Amino acid sequence: MTDTTAHRPPERYTPEAVAALLTTAVLGRRIELHPQVASTNDLVREAGIRGEPEGLVVMAEEQMLGRGRLGRRWVAPAGCCVLCSVLLRPRFAAREAFYITIAASLAIYRACKALGGPLQPVAGIKWPNDVLLNGRKVSGVLSEGEFRGGSWDFAVLGFGINANLRPDQLGELRGAATSLSAELGREVDRAALLAKVLTEFEGLYFLLQGGQFGAVHGEWVAALETLGRRVTALEGNGRRVEGKALRADPDGALVVLTGEGVERRVLAGDVLPFTPQNG
Ligand code: BTN
């Protein structure tokens, strides 16, 4: 049998390799790669405070203090994932901030689908913005805003993608998380993946900058695996809402029909598969 991996050229995950594949106007006008950082979001936030124009992209091979949503940690082994943050200076209203995260999850979803291959994993989005492959999380998005007097100063869009992670590297997350390489049965080129995500995101971001929220909302809703399922929704304050996920409103809220027949809106949080003992 032929060994197809023996002579594979080493992966080029560099700012130059990403820049060469970008077809963006703004994102990636400057790209940094760091071997190890606390959090890429922190570096981009510092750049935002310094007044750097939007489009800065910060990549890292390893994060020591990666942050996730809802105060969680984002842990990833060194050298095999996409850990990235982008500086944005949105012109739309601060109340539409969540559209940055849903646009990012859509960009990652599109990039995952474009990888194709014979195994063709099923991609979807778990409300609000986890990208899933075959039902398990492959990517998460955390955007953080800086506001001045009720309007944007800048936004930091951060995302992590489990690119070339072996199943044994997922540890205790193995049941709930996966990687592109595990689902596709081959390693992916992280530079090409990141360039695709940034290119897709810029198109969606420009729609938002032009006030076209409906187009982004519609595609997000169509990609949401959560809708129509029985779920336990965990609100940011820890409250649980159980029932059938009916729809996702234009403000991002998940509307859950409870057993009592009441529609409850969950604005921020997470969803778990429904299990009766959760109540
Ligand atoms: C989540 O699913 O909870 C969101 C995870 C976001 C992780 C990324 S990795 C790059 C960027 N820097 C961080 O500290 N967090 C985000």
Side-chain angles (χ1 to χ4, degrees), residues 38-42 63 65-70 72-74 82-85 129-130 137 139-142 157-161:
S39 157
T40 53
N41 271 27
D42 290 348
Q63 282 188 136
L65 294 170
R67 288 197 297 281
R69 291 178 63 243
L70 308 171
R72 298 176 187 144
R73 295 278 311 278
W74 181 265
V82 171
L83 306 167
C84 178
S85 300
N129 48 37
D130 288 348
K137 179 165 173 170
S139 171
V141 179
L142 174 70
L157 165 65
F159 53 89
I161 307 174

Side-chain angles (χ1 to χ4, degrees), residues 109 112-113 116-126 130-138 178-180 183-184 222-225 229:
Y109 164 80
C112 289
K113 290 205 348 171
L119 296 184
Q120 284 288 353
V122 178
I125 298 177
K126 178 165 84 85
D130 288 348
V131 180
L132 308 184
L133 282 184
N134 293 335
R136 290 187 293 167
K137 179 165 173 170
V138 76
T178 190
S179 69
L180 280 163
E183 299 302 323
L184 292 168
L224 280 177
E225 285 194 357
R229 300 200 174 185

Side-chain angles (χ1 to χ4, degrees), residues 51-138:
E52 174 136 353
E54 76 173 348
L56 168 71
V57 169
V58 172
M59 308 149 60
E61 286 288 16
E62 185 175 21
Q63 282 188 136
M64 307 314 283
L65 294 170
R67 288 197 297 281
R69 291 178 63 243
L70 308 171
R72 298 176 187 144
R73 295 278 311 278
W74 181 265
V75 181
C80 56
C81 294
V82 171
L83 306 167
C84 178
S85 300
V86 182
L87 178 61
L88 303 170
R89 295 197 180 270
R91 291 190 299 271
F92 47 88
R95 66 172 178 278
E96 313 286 14
F98 79 96
Y99 271 97
I100 292 177
T101 49
I102 69 170
S105 64
L106 269 181
I108 296 164
Y109 164 80
R110 286 182 185 176
C112 289
K113 290 205 348 171
L115 285 168
L119 296 184
Q120 284 288 353
V122 178
I125 298 177
K126 178 165 84 85
W127 181 87
N129 48 37
D130 288 348
V131 180
L132 308 184
L133 282 184
N134 293 335
R136 290 187 293 167
K137 179 165 173 170
V138 76

Side-chain angles (χ1 to χ4, degrees), residues 7-55:
H7 305 293
R8 191 192 297 136
E11 183 199 34
R12 273 192 76 232
Y13 189 57
T14 61
E16 294 73 27
V18 175
L21 295 166
L22 278 178
T23 53
T24 51
V26 172
L27 297 195
R29 50 161 54 126
R30 201 165 80 70
I31 307 179
E32 294 176 1
L33 170 65
H34 298 264
Q36 191 186 71
V37 296
S39 157
T40 53
N41 271 27
D42 290 348
L43 292 185
V44 168
R45 182 169 178 273
E46 286 160 20
I49 292 168
R50 284 199 305 273
E52 174 136 353
E54 76 173 348

